[in-house]
Coordinates of all heavy atoms in Angstrom, one line a residue:
M1 N -36.8 240.1 89.9 CA -37.8 240.4 88.9 C -37.1 241.4 87.9 O -36.6 242.4 88.4 CB -39.1 241.0 89.5 CG -40.1 241.3 88.5 SD -41.7 241.7 89.2 CE -42.4 240.2 89.5
D2 N -37.2 241.2 86.7 CA -36.6 242.1 85.7 C -37.7 242.9 85.0 O -38.9 242.7 85.2 CB -35.8 241.3 84.7 CG -36.5 240.3 83.8 OD1 -37.8 240.3 83.9 OD2 -35.8 239.5 83.1
S3 N -37.3 243.8 84.0 CA -38.3 244.6 83.4 C -39.3 243.8 82.5 O -40.4 244.2 82.4 CB -37.6 245.7 82.5 OG -36.7 245.1 81.6
N4 N -38.9 242.7 81.9 CA -39.8 241.9 81.1 C -40.9 241.3 82.0 O -42.0 241.3 81.6 CB -39.0 240.8 80.4 CG -38.3 241.2 79.2 OD1 -38.8 242.1 78.5 ND2 -37.2 240.7 78.9
A5 N -40.5 240.8 83.2 CA -41.5 240.2 84.1 C -42.5 241.2 84.6 O -43.6 241.0 84.7 CB -40.7 239.5 85.3
I6 N -42.0 242.4 84.9 CA -42.8 243.5 85.4 C -43.8 243.9 84.2 O -45.0 244.0 84.5 CB -42.0 244.7 85.8 CG1 -41.3 244.4 87.1 CG2 -42.9 245.9 86.0 CD1 -40.3 245.4 87.5
G7 N -43.3 244.0 83.0 CA -44.2 244.3 81.9 C -45.2 243.3 81.7 O -46.4 243.6 81.4
K8 N -44.9 242.0 81.8 CA -45.9 240.9 81.6 C -46.9 241.0 82.7 O -48.1 240.7 82.4 CB -45.1 239.6 81.6 CG -44.4 239.3 80.3 CD -43.7 238.0 80.3 CE -42.8 237.8 79.1 NZ -42.1 236.5 79.1
L9 N -46.5 241.2 83.9 CA -47.4 241.3 85.0 C -48.4 242.5 84.8 O -49.6 242.3 85.0 CB -46.7 241.5 86.3 CG -47.6 241.8 87.6 CD1 -48.5 240.6 87.9 CD2 -46.7 242.2 88.8
I10 N -47.9 243.6 84.4 CA -48.8 244.8 84.1 C -49.8 244.4 83.0 O -51.0 244.7 83.1 CB -47.9 246.0 83.8 CG1 -47.2 246.5 85.0 CG2 -48.8 247.1 83.2 CD1 -46.2 247.6 84.8
R11 N -49.3 243.9 81.9 CA -50.2 243.5 80.8 C -51.3 242.5 81.2 O -52.4 242.7 80.9 CB -49.4 243.0 79.6 CG -50.3 242.6 78.4 CD -49.5 242.0 77.2 NE -48.7 243.1 76.6 CZ -47.4 243.0 76.5 NH1 -46.7 241.9 76.9 NH2 -46.7 244.0 75.9
K12 N -50.8 241.5 81.9 CA -51.8 240.5 82.4 C -52.8 241.0 83.3 O -54.0 240.7 83.1 CB -51.0 239.4 83.1 CG -51.8 238.2 83.6 CD -51.0 237.2 84.3 CE -51.9 236.1 84.9 NZ -51.1 235.1 85.6
T13 N -52.4 241.9 84.2 CA -53.4 242.5 85.1 C -54.3 243.4 84.4 O -55.5 243.4 84.7 CB -52.6 243.2 86.3 OG1 -51.7 242.3 86.9 CG2 -53.6 243.8 87.3
R14 N -53.8 244.2 83.5 CA -54.6 245.2 82.8 C -55.7 244.4 82.0 O -56.9 244.8 82.0 CB -53.7 246.0 81.8 CG -54.6 246.9 80.9 CD -53.7 247.7 79.9 NE -52.9 246.9 79.0 CZ -53.3 246.3 78.0 NH1 -54.5 246.3 77.6 NH2 -52.4 245.6 77.2
R15 N -55.3 243.4 81.3 CA -56.2 242.6 80.5 C -57.3 241.9 81.4 O -58.4 241.8 81.1 CB -55.5 241.6 79.7 CG -54.7 242.2 78.5 CD -54.0 241.2 77.7 NE -53.4 241.8 76.6 CZ -52.5 241.2 75.8 NH1 -52.1 239.9 76.0 NH2 -52.0 241.8 74.7
A16 N -56.8 241.4 82.6 CA -57.8 240.8 83.5 C -58.8 241.8 84.0 O -60.0 241.4 84.3 CB -57.0 240.2 84.7
L17 N -58.4 243.0 84.1 CA -59.4 244.1 84.5 C -60.2 244.7 83.3 O -60.9 245.6 83.4 CB -58.6 245.2 85.2 CG -58.0 244.9 86.5 CD1 -57.0 246.0 87.0 CD2 -59.0 244.6 87.5
H18 N -60.0 244.1 82.1 CA -60.6 244.5 80.9 C -60.4 246.0 80.6 O -61.3 246.7 80.2 CB -62.1 244.2 80.9 CG -62.4 242.7 81.2 ND1 -62.2 241.7 80.3 CD2 -62.9 242.1 82.4 CE1 -62.6 240.6 80.9 NE2 -63.0 240.8 82.1
M19 N -59.1 246.4 80.7 CA -58.8 247.7 80.4 C -58.0 247.8 79.1 O -57.1 246.9 78.8 CB -57.9 248.3 81.5 CG -58.6 248.5 82.8 SD -57.5 249.2 84.1 CE -57.5 251.0 83.6
R20 N -58.2 248.8 78.3 CA -57.3 249.1 77.2 C -56.1 249.8 77.6 O -56.1 250.4 78.7 CB -58.1 249.9 76.1 CG -59.3 249.2 75.6 CD -59.9 250.0 74.4 NE -60.0 251.5 74.7 CZ -61.0 252.1 75.2 NH1 -62.2 251.5 75.4 NH2 -61.0 253.4 75.4
Q21 N -55.1 249.8 76.8 CA -53.8 250.5 77.2 C -54.1 252.0 77.4 O -53.6 252.6 78.3 CB -52.8 250.4 76.1 CG -52.0 249.1 76.2 CD -50.8 249.1 75.2 OE1 -50.8 249.7 74.2 NE2 -49.8 248.3 75.6
D22 N -54.9 252.6 76.5 CA -55.2 254.0 76.6 C -55.9 254.4 77.9 O -55.7 255.4 78.5 CB -55.9 254.6 75.4 CG -57.3 254.0 75.2 OD1 -57.4 252.8 75.3 OD2 -58.2 254.8 74.9
E23 N -56.7 253.5 78.4 CA -57.5 253.7 79.7 C -56.5 253.7 80.8 O -56.5 254.6 81.7 CB -58.5 252.6 79.9 CG -59.7 252.7 78.9 CD -60.7 251.6 78.9 OE1 -60.2 250.4 79.2 OE2 -61.9 251.8 78.8
L24 N -55.7 252.7 80.9 CA -54.7 252.5 82.0 C -53.7 253.7 81.9 O -53.4 254.3 83.0 CB -54.0 251.2 82.0 CG -52.9 251.0 83.0 CD1 -53.4 251.2 84.4 CD2 -52.3 249.6 82.9
A25 N -53.3 254.0 80.8 CA -52.3 255.1 80.6 C -52.9 256.4 81.2 O -52.2 257.2 81.9 CB -51.9 255.3 79.2
S26 N -54.2 256.7 80.9 CA -54.8 257.9 81.4 C -54.9 257.9 82.9 O -54.6 258.9 83.6 CB -56.2 258.0 80.8 OG -56.9 259.1 81.3
V27 N -55.3 256.7 83.5 CA -55.4 256.6 84.9 C -54.1 256.8 85.6 O -54.0 257.4 86.7 CB -56.1 255.3 85.3 CG1 -56.0 255.0 86.8 CG2 -57.5 255.2 84.9
A28 N -53.0 256.3 85.0 CA -51.7 256.3 85.6 C -50.9 257.6 85.3 O -49.9 257.8 85.8 CB -50.9 255.1 85.1
G29 N -51.5 258.4 84.4 CA -50.9 259.7 84.1 C -49.7 259.7 83.1 O -48.7 260.4 83.3
L30 N -49.8 258.8 82.2 CA -48.7 258.7 81.2 C -49.3 258.4 79.8 O -50.5 258.2 79.7 CB -47.7 257.6 81.6 CG -48.1 256.2 81.6 CD1 -46.9 255.3 81.3 CD2 -48.6 255.8 83.0
S31 N -48.4 258.5 78.8 CA -48.9 258.3 77.4 C -49.1 256.8 77.1 O -48.5 255.9 77.8 CB -47.9 258.9 76.4 OG -46.7 258.1 76.4
T32 N -49.9 256.5 76.1 CA -50.0 255.1 75.7 C -48.7 254.5 75.2 O -48.4 253.4 75.5 CB -51.1 255.0 74.6 OG1 -52.3 255.6 75.1 CG2 -51.4 253.6 74.2
R33 N -47.9 255.3 74.6 CA -46.6 254.9 74.1 C -45.7 254.5 75.3 O -45.0 253.5 75.2 CB -46.0 256.0 73.3 CG -44.7 255.6 72.6 CD -44.2 256.8 71.8 NE -43.2 256.3 70.8 CZ -42.6 257.0 69.9 NH1 -42.9 258.3 69.8 NH2 -41.8 256.5 69.1
A34 N -45.7 255.3 76.3 CA -44.9 255.0 77.5 C -45.4 253.6 78.1 O -44.6 252.8 78.5 CB -44.9 256.1 78.5
L35 N -46.7 253.5 78.2 CA -47.2 252.2 78.8 C -46.9 251.0 77.9 O -46.5 250.0 78.4 CB -48.8 252.3 79.0 CG -49.4 251.1 79.5 CD1 -48.9 250.7 80.8 CD2 -50.9 251.2 79.5
S36 N -46.9 251.2 76.6 CA -46.6 250.1 75.7 C -45.1 249.7 75.9 O -44.8 248.5 76.0 CB -46.8 250.6 74.3 OG -46.4 249.6 73.4
S37 N -44.2 250.7 76.1 CA -42.8 250.4 76.4 C -42.6 249.6 77.7 O -41.8 248.7 77.7 CB -42.0 251.7 76.4 OG -42.0 252.3 75.2
I38 N -43.4 250.0 78.7 CA -43.3 249.3 80.0 C -43.8 247.9 79.8 O -43.1 246.9 80.3 CB -44.1 250.1 81.0 CG1 -43.5 251.4 81.4 CG2 -44.2 249.2 82.3 CD1 -44.3 252.3 82.2
E39 N -44.9 247.7 79.2 CA -45.5 246.3 79.0 C -44.5 245.5 78.1 O -44.5 244.3 78.3 CB -46.9 246.4 78.3 CG -47.9 246.9 79.3 CD -49.3 246.7 78.7 OE1 -49.5 246.4 77.5 OE2 -50.3 247.0 79.5
N40 N -43.8 246.1 77.2 CA -42.8 245.3 76.4 C -41.5 245.1 77.1 O -40.6 244.6 76.4 CB -42.7 246.0 75.0 CG -43.9 245.8 74.2 OD1 -44.4 244.7 74.1 ND2 -44.4 246.9 73.6
G41 N -41.4 245.6 78.3 CA -40.1 245.3 79.1 C -39.0 246.2 78.7 O -37.8 245.8 78.9
K42 N -39.2 247.3 78.1 CA -38.1 248.2 77.7 C -37.4 248.7 79.0 O -38.0 249.1 79.9 CB -38.6 249.4 76.9 CG -39.4 249.1 75.7 CD -38.4 248.5 74.6 CE -39.2 248.3 73.3 NZ -38.5 247.7 72.3
N43 N -36.1 248.6 79.0 CA -35.3 249.1 80.1 C -35.2 250.6 80.2 O -34.7 251.1 81.2 CB -33.8 248.5 80.0 CG -33.8 247.0 80.3 OD1 -34.5 246.5 81.1 ND2 -32.9 246.3 79.5
T44 N -35.7 251.3 79.2 CA -35.6 252.8 79.3 C -36.8 253.4 80.0 O -36.8 254.6 80.2 CB -35.6 253.3 77.8 OG1 -36.8 252.9 77.1 CG2 -34.4 252.9 77.1
A45 N -37.7 252.6 80.5 CA -38.9 253.2 81.2 C -38.4 253.8 82.5 O -37.6 253.2 83.2 CB -39.9 252.1 81.5
Q46 N -39.0 254.9 82.9 CA -38.7 255.6 84.1 C -39.3 254.9 85.3 O -40.5 254.5 85.2 CB -39.1 257.0 84.1 CG -38.4 257.9 83.1 CD -38.9 259.3 83.1 OE1 -39.6 259.7 83.9 NE2 -38.5 260.1 82.1
L47 N -38.6 254.7 86.3 CA -39.1 254.0 87.5 C -40.4 254.6 88.0 O -41.3 253.9 88.4 CB -38.1 253.9 88.6 CG -38.4 253.2 89.9 CD1 -38.8 251.8 89.6 CD2 -37.3 253.3 90.9
G48 N -40.5 255.9 88.1 CA -41.6 256.6 88.6 C -42.9 256.3 87.8 O -44.0 256.1 88.3
L49 N -42.7 256.2 86.4 CA -43.9 255.8 85.6 C -44.3 254.4 85.8 O -45.5 254.1 85.9 CB -43.5 256.0 84.1 CG -43.2 257.4 83.6 CD1 -42.8 257.4 82.1 CD2 -44.3 258.4 83.9
V50 N -43.4 253.5 86.0 CA -43.7 252.1 86.3 C -44.4 252.0 87.6 O -45.5 251.3 87.7 CB -42.4 251.2 86.3 CG1 -42.8 249.8 86.8 CG2 -41.7 251.2 85.0
L51 N -44.0 252.8 88.6 CA -44.7 252.8 89.9 C -46.1 253.3 89.8 O -47.0 252.8 90.5 CB -43.8 253.5 90.9 CG -42.5 252.9 91.3 CD1 -41.7 253.8 92.2 CD2 -42.7 251.5 91.9
N52 N -46.3 254.4 89.0 CA -47.6 254.9 88.8 C -48.5 253.9 88.2 O -49.7 253.8 88.6 CB -47.6 256.1 87.9 CG -47.0 257.4 88.5 OD1 -46.8 257.4 89.7 ND2 -46.7 258.4 87.7
V53 N -48.1 253.1 87.2 CA -48.9 252.1 86.6 C -49.2 251.0 87.6 O -50.4 250.6 87.7 CB -48.1 251.5 85.3 CG1 -48.9 250.3 84.8 CG2 -47.9 252.5 84.3
L54 N -48.2 250.5 88.3 CA -48.5 249.5 89.3 C -49.5 250.0 90.3 O -50.5 249.2 90.7 CB -47.2 249.1 90.0 CG -46.2 248.4 89.2 CD1 -44.9 248.2 90.0 CD2 -46.7 247.0 88.7
D55 N -49.4 251.2 90.8 CA -50.4 251.8 91.7 C -51.8 251.9 91.1 O -52.8 251.5 91.8 CB -49.9 253.2 92.2 CG -50.8 253.8 93.2 OD1 -51.0 253.1 94.3 OD2 -51.3 254.9 93.0
A56 N -51.9 252.3 89.9 CA -53.2 252.4 89.2 C -53.8 251.0 89.1 O -55.1 250.9 89.1 CB -53.0 253.0 87.8
L57 N -53.1 249.9 89.0 CA -53.6 248.6 88.9 C -53.8 248.0 90.3 O -54.3 246.9 90.4 CB -52.6 247.7 88.1 CG -52.6 248.0 86.6 CD1 -51.5 247.2 86.0 CD2 -53.9 247.7 85.9
G58 N -53.4 248.7 91.3 CA -53.5 248.1 92.7 C -52.5 247.1 93.0 O -52.7 246.2 93.9
I59 N -51.4 247.1 92.4 CA -50.3 246.1 92.6 C -49.3 246.8 93.6 O -48.7 247.8 93.3 CB -49.6 245.7 91.3 CG1 -50.6 245.1 90.3 CG2 -48.4 244.8 91.6 CD1 -50.0 244.8 89.0
A60 N -49.1 246.1 94.7 CA -48.1 246.5 95.7 C -46.8 245.8 95.4 O -46.8 244.6 95.1 CB -48.6 246.3 97.1
I61 N -45.7 246.4 95.6 CA -44.4 245.7 95.5 C -43.7 245.8 96.9 O -43.9 246.7 97.6 CB -43.5 246.3 94.4 CG1 -43.2 247.8 94.7 CG2 -44.1 246.1 93.0 CD1 -42.2 248.4 93.7
T62 N -42.9 244.7 97.1 CA -42.2 244.6 98.3 C -40.7 244.5 98.0 O -40.4 243.6 97.1 CB -42.6 243.4 99.1 OG1 -44.0 243.5 99.4 CG2 -41.9 243.3 100.4
L63 N -39.9 245.3 98.6 CA -38.5 245.2 98.3 C -37.8 244.6 99.5 O -38.1 244.8 100.6 CB -37.9 246.6 98.1 CG -38.5 247.5 97.0 CD1 -37.9 248.9 97.0 CD2 -38.3 246.8 95.7
S64 N -36.8 243.7 99.2 CA -36.0 243.1 100.2 C -34.6 243.1 99.8 O -34.3 243.0 98.6 CB -36.5 241.7 100.5 OG -36.4 240.9 99.3
P65 N -33.7 243.2 100.8 CA -32.2 243.3 100.4 C -31.8 241.9 99.9 O -32.4 240.9 100.2 CB -31.5 243.6 101.7 CG -32.5 243.3 102.8 CD -33.9 243.4 102.2
P66 N -30.8 241.9 99.0 CA -30.4 240.7 98.4 C -29.7 239.7 99.4 O -29.4 240.0 100.4 CB -29.3 241.1 97.4 CG -29.0 242.5 97.7 CD -30.1 243.1 98.5

């Protein structure tokens, strides 16, 4: 999964929950601008911020070795 796929998943889930970007950003503890960057798949997003957003949406991730 790459940053674009994660961003699309976040956007899709946020919209399914009928949340605006500013609402999710507030719950996740980041700026609307940072959330927008994550949703747009920017590679510059900090991992901790991405994890906060996923947690706020109730999305669990599983890591497995290659």
Side-chain angles (χ1 to χ4, degrees):
M1 181 173 274
D2 64 10
S3 59
N4 282 325
I6 292 171
K8 287 178 183 179
L9 173 64
I10 289 170
R11 179 181 292 121
K12 180 181 176 181
T13 305
R14 174 181 58 78
R15 288 179 175 170
L17 294 171
H18 305 288
M19 294 180 79
R20 296 186 319 262
Q21 277 188 333
D22 62 317
E23 292 172 324
L24 177 55
S26 177
V27 171
L30 62 152
S31 70
T32 304
R33 186 176 198 178
L35 177 58
S36 177
S37 291
I38 292 168
E39 286 189 355
N40 287 313
K42 302 287 183 185
N43 287 324
T44 57
Q46 294 179 11
L47 179 59
L49 295 180
V50 174
L51 293 175
N52 287 348
V53 173
L54 292 172
D55 184 53
L57 289 171
I59 298 173
I61 58 171
T62 303
L63 302 176
S64 61

